[in-house]
C-alpha cells in the first residue's frame, strides 16, 4: 500500500509513514509463517461449540455481556490451575486477541514512554506509535538473550511508564527466567512503571509464568492469548492477568460490547477442553526438538526456543533467497528482518518433514 497519502486526507502526521501490519497470506501454500497452531480443533471441541451455538445465535438481538464475566472467571480458573495462583475474574480482562489487549493497555496507561528490547514482537512499537505513546528501543545481546543488568540500568535512566518484555520472545524463541523478570519488575517499580510481560507462547515453555509474581509485585501485567496453545487464532481471544486496578483502567479504554457473544461462548467451551488442547501442545514441543535436531544435522544454527517456532541461520546464500525458493516450493516461512536468519513455525509432523526436505535441497 502506498504511503504517499493525498493532501486532502486528514491522516494524523504520526501515521503518515506507516503501512498496514501483516505477514503475507498466500493461498494454497503450507503456512509456517505466523506461529499458528497447525492442528484443527478436535471434533469433540467443535461438537460442543455447535451444540451451544443455536442458543447463542438466537440471542444475537442482544448485546453481549459487556464485562464477559463468565469467560473471565473461566480464564482465571485456567491460570490458577496451570500456575497454582488464586486469581478471580477481577484479575482478568479479555479482548479480541492479545493485540487488542496491548492497544487497550497503551490507550489507558501510555502517558509516559514505553520501552522494549529488540528484536521482539514488532506490534508493540507499532501499537505505541498508533496510540501516541513514545517508544524507546533497548537492545538484546547478539545471541538474542537479554542482558538483565544492562536492561535494569536502561530502565533506571529512561524512566519508562511501561516496560515491555516478551517471553518466550518472538521472533527469537528465547526465554527469561522468573528471577530475571522479578529483577525487571523491581527496576520498573522504582521508576513507577508497569512491567508488561507478553506471554503469548507461555504454554510452550517450561519456565514459571510471570503471573506467579503478581501477588508480590503489583506492577506486573501479563498478556496471554488463546491463539497459539488453544489453536484458536481465528476466534480472536486474548487476555490480561493483573491487579484489579489495572483491569479497571482497561475498562475505560475498551470499546463498549467489544467481545461478541459467539466469541465469548466458544472461548468458554475451548477452556472447558483445555486438557485435550494442551496434549497437542506437548506434541508440538516434541516436534520442536525434532525439527531443531534436523536443522542442526543440516549444518544450520538454531536459536534455543521455548516457543512454537525456531529462528535459524547458517545458509550458504542470502536468507531472502532461501525464503523465496521455499515459497516457490509451496512453503511459506518468515523473513523477520534479522540479517541471515529465518523463522519457521512448528507444524504437524508431516508438514515439518515437508519443510525439512525442501530446505535440505536449498540451504
Ligand atoms: C508475542 C506476541 N504477542 C501477541 C501476539 C498477538 O496474538 P493474538 O492477537 O492473536 O492474541 C502475537 C502473535 O503472533 C505474538 O507473537
Amino acid at each position: 500500500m502506498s504511503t504517499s497519502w493525498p493532501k486532502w486526507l486528514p491522516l494524523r502526521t504520526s501515521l503518515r509513514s506507516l503501512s498496514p501490519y501483516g505477514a503475507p497470506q498466500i493461498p494454497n501454500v503450507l503456512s509456517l509463517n505466523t506461529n499458528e497452531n497447525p492442528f484443527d480443533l478436535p471434533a469433540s471441541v467443535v461438537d460442543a461449540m455447535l451444540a451451544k451455538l443455536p442458543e447463542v445465535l438466537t440471542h444475537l438481538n442482544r448485546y453481549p455481556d459487556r464485562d464477559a464475566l463468565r469467560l473471565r472467571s473461566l480464564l482465571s480458573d485456567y491460570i490458577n490451575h496451570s500456575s497454582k495462583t488464586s486469581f478471580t475474574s477481577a484479575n482478568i480482562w479479555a479482548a479480541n486477541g492479545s493485540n487488542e489487549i496491548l492497544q487497550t493497555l497503551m490507550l489507558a496507561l501510555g502517558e509516559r514512554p514505553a520501552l522494549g528490547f529488540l528484536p521482539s514482537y514488532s506490534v508493540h512499537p507499532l501499537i505505541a506509535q498508533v496510540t501516541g505513546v513514545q517508544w524507546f528501543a533497548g537492545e538484546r545481546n547478539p545471541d538474542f538473550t537479554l542482558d538483565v543488568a544492562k536492561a535494569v540500568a536502561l530502565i533506571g535512566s529512561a524512566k519508562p511508564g511501561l516496560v515491555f518484555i516478551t517471553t518466550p520472545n518472538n521472533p527469537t524463541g528465547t526465554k527469561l527466567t522468573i528471577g530475571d523478570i522479578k529483577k525487571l519488575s523491581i527496576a520498573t517499580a522504582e521508576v513507577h512503571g508497569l512491567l508488561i510481560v507478553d506471554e503469548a507462547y507461555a504454554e510452550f515453555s517450561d519456565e514459571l509464568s510471570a503471573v506467579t509474581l503478581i501477588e508480590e509485585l503489583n506492577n506486573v501485567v501479563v498478556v496471554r492469548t488463546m491463539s497459539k496453545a488453544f489453536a484458536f487464532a481465528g476466534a480472536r481471544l486474548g487476555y490480561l492477568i493483573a491487579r484489579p486496578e489495572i483491569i479497571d483502567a482497561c475498562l475505560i479504554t475498551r470499546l463498549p460490547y467489544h467481545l461478541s457473544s459467539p466469541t465469548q461462548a466458544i472461548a468458554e467451551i475451548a477452556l472447558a477442553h483445555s486438557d485435550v488442547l494442551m496434549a497437542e501442545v506437548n506434541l508440538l514441543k516434541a516436534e520442536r526438538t525434532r525439527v531443531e535436531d534436523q536443522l542442526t544435522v543440516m549444518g544450520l544454527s538454531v536459536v534455543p526456543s521455548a516457543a512454537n517456532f525456531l529462528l535459524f541461520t547458517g545458509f550458504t546464500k542470502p536468507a531472502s533467497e532461501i525464503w523465496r525458493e521455499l515459497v516457490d516450493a509451496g512453503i511459506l516461512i518468515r523473513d523477520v528482518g534479522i540479517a541471515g536468519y529465518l523463522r519457521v513455525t512448528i507444524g504437524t509432523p508431516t508438514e515439518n518433514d515437508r519443510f525439512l526436505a525442501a530446505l535440505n535441497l536449498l540451504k
Side-chain angles (χ1 to χ4, degrees), residues 97-99 121 166 170 198 200-201 225 227-228 236:
S98 49
N99 287 333
Y121 185 43
T166 307
N170 179 12
D198 187 333
Y201 303 95
T225 182
S227 292
K228 317 292 178 180
R236 312 303 299 128

Side-chain angles (χ1 to χ4, degrees), residues 1-20 126 129-130:
M1 180 177 283
S2 156
T3 49
S4 53
W5 302 97
K7 278 211 171 66
W8 55 262
L9 190 74
L11 184 65
R12 287 172 193 268
T13 315
S14 60
L15 304 183
R16 284 191 169 259
S17 63
L18 293 179
S19 44
L126 178 65
Q129 188 164 2
V130 168

Side-chain angles (χ1 to χ4, degrees), residues 21 34-36 95-102 120-121 123-124 166-171 198-201 223-228 232-233 236-239 309 334 343:
Y21 174 85
T34 50
N35 301 339
E36 292 158 329
N96 295 282
S98 49
N99 287 333
E100 189 180 73
I101 293 281
L102 294 164
S120 190
Y121 185 43
V123 171
H124 294 157
T166 307
T167 181
N169 187 41
N170 179 12
D198 187 333
E199 289 193 353
Y201 303 95
V223 180
R224 288 282 195 101
T225 182
M226 291 179 69
S227 292
K228 317 292 178 180
F232 216 50
R236 312 303 299 128
L237 202 294
Y239 56 104
F309 55 82
R334 191 80 168 254
R343 191 194 71 191

